Amino acid sequence: MYLADLYDSFLIDLDGVIYVGENPTYKAPQILNKLYKAGKEIIFITNDPRRSSSQYATKLTKIDINAPATNIVTSATALSIHIQRKYNTNSKKAFVIGSDNLKKEVKKIGLELISKKSKVNCDFVIVGGDNRVDYNDLKKATLCIRNGAKFYATNNDPYYPTPQGLVPATGALVAAIETASSTKATIVGKPKRIMFNIAKSLLVNKSRIAVIGDRLDTDIAGGKKAGLSTILTLTGSTKMDEVKSSKIKPDYVIKNLSYLYKDSSLSKHN
Ligand SMILES: [Mg+2]
């Protein structure tokens, strides 16, 4: 019995689990193909809204993993699917502070985009992954929300690493608009439920599901909140001593994905 045999479906994070930069983690392509051969369902989940699902599919093909774009859920696709399922988007308008990909996703579900210079009010303010923001973006978003627009964000990551150090990410913009509008945003990405619910809704086998991720605060905490089994891999941002000192306890900790098919992996972590 291998760890992989305990589950029918996997929600797998990309960065730090399948690859780091352009390189696959140890044996990731082989293990993924083994899972597919065993009939496992796999949905890839990522908080990064800057690339489209098809761009991620292309990136995976380059490391010999053939996943259909429909099985790759970014925080931008999760956000647009969520809005489409929850509201009638017909003739509704959105103001988006975000990447070109996020704008495309929002347009796909029938929302009309307005610009920061527009005098028109909008129904949705959507924020995610933009490094070209200026005061007028924040102003337009604030005015729209104060006039009743629903406020959504792809994720709430406060900062991200660059060669110069940690710099403001989506969460920093969200905080500015929340402060100015006195309204909390609905966050879609991990560790929030919406992301996991959307990914789960795409599965046929919904009973034995495990989340595989490299971060305790997003992948593992979110998976646990969504009531799913959790497997932490040590191929990304988390080291074993952090696992020991953290209050967030994954069901299993594995050194890399190859341990899904090793006998020794079946010692429960807690
Ligand atoms: Mg990751």
Side-chain angles (χ1 to χ4, degrees), residues 202-222:
L202 301 175
L203 294 169
V204 178
N205 294 309
K206 297 184 203 295
S207 53
R208 302 195 309 157
I209 308 172
V211 174
I212 308 180
D214 71 312
R215 279 184 64 157
L216 290 164
D217 58 346
T218 54
D219 305 310
I220 304 304

Side-chain angles (χ1 to χ4, degrees), residues 14-15 19-23 46-62 69 72-78 98-105 108 128-129 154:
L14 288 171
D15 203 5
Y19 51 70
V20 174
E22 300 305 314
N23 304 314
T46 174
N47 265 4
D48 191 342
R50 289 170 300 173
R51 290 194 214 202
S52 68
S53 299
S54 353
Q55 285 170 320
Y56 280 114
T58 307
K59 180 165 183 176
L60 288 175
T61 310
K62 284 185 190 149
I72 302 170
V73 177
T74 72
S75 56
T77 50
S99 62
D100 294 339
N101 173 58
L102 179 61
K103 288 179 181 161
K104 257 189 226 160
E105 294 287 344
K108 253 196 245 171
T154 53

Side-chain angles (χ1 to χ4, degrees), residues 172-187:
L173 302 180
V174 170
I177 301 166
E178 283 183 339
T179 303
S181 65
S182 306
T183 304
K184 284 272 172 207
T186 302
I187 310 292

Side-chain angles (χ1 to χ4, degrees), residues 12-227:
I12 307 181
D13 175 45
L14 288 171
D15 203 5
V17 177
I18 302 293
Y19 51 70
V20 174
E22 300 305 314
N23 304 314
T25 59
Y26 181 71
K27 285 200 174 172
Q30 290 94 319
I31 297 300
L32 260 292
N33 289 318
K34 215 166 166 175
L35 291 170
Y36 279 128
K37 269 198 193 130
K40 310 290 183 190
E41 275 188 273
I42 296 166
I43 303 286
F44 294 99
I45 50 175
T46 174
N47 265 4
D48 191 342
R50 289 170 300 173
R51 290 194 214 202
S52 68
S53 299
S54 353
Q55 285 170 320
Y56 280 114
T58 307
K59 180 165 183 176
L60 288 175
T61 310
K62 284 185 190 149
I63 53 168
D64 294 321
I65 296 169
N66 291 310
T70 45
N71 288 357
I72 302 170
V73 177
T74 72
S75 56
T77 50
L79 189 150
S80 54
I81 294 172
H82 173 77
I83 288 181
Q84 192 177 31
R85 288 181 185 173
K86 193 166 174 178
Y87 307 94
N88 174 7
T89 54
N90 206 357
S91 71
K92 298 270 165 44
K93 295 181 176 59
F95 177 58
V96 178
I97 299 178
S99 62
D100 294 339
N101 173 58
L102 179 61
K103 288 179 181 161
K104 257 189 226 160
E105 294 287 344
V106 169
K107 269 199 237 169
K108 253 196 245 171
I109 57 164
L111 289 171
E112 184 195 324
L113 300 192
I114 62 162
S115 81
K116 60 185 150 194
K117 290 181 193 137
S118 167
K119 299 261 187 304
V120 176
N121 197 26
C122 69
D123 306 281
F124 297 94
V125 167
I126 296 169
V127 182
D130 197 345
N131 53 14
R132 301 159 296 189
V133 183
D134 65 26
Y135 180 80
N136 286 323
D137 286 299
L138 304 178
K139 182 177 164 186
K140 183 67 186 165
T142 302
L143 291 172
C144 284
I145 295 163
R146 287 203 171 268
N147 275 315
K150 302 265 185 305
F151 181 16
Y152 278 94
T154 53
N155 63 80
N156 209 16
D157 303 349
Y159 45 75
Y160 68 96
T162 69
Q164 299 112 292
L166 299 175
V167 301
T170 299
L173 302 180
V174 170
I177 301 166
E178 283 183 339
T179 303
S181 65
S182 306
T183 304
K184 284 272 172 207
T186 302
I187 310 292
V188 169
K190 300 173 283 183
K192 298 292 178 184
R193 275 281 184 94
I194 297 176
M195 185 82 170
F196 292 95
N197 287 346
I198 297 289
K200 221 175 124 181
S201 74
L202 301 175
L203 294 169
V204 178
N205 294 309
K206 297 184 203 295
S207 53
R208 302 195 309 157
I209 308 172
V211 174
I212 308 180
D214 71 312
R215 279 184 64 157
L216 290 164
D217 58 346
T218 54
D219 305 310
I220 304 304
K224 289 178 90 80
K225 256 194 268 172

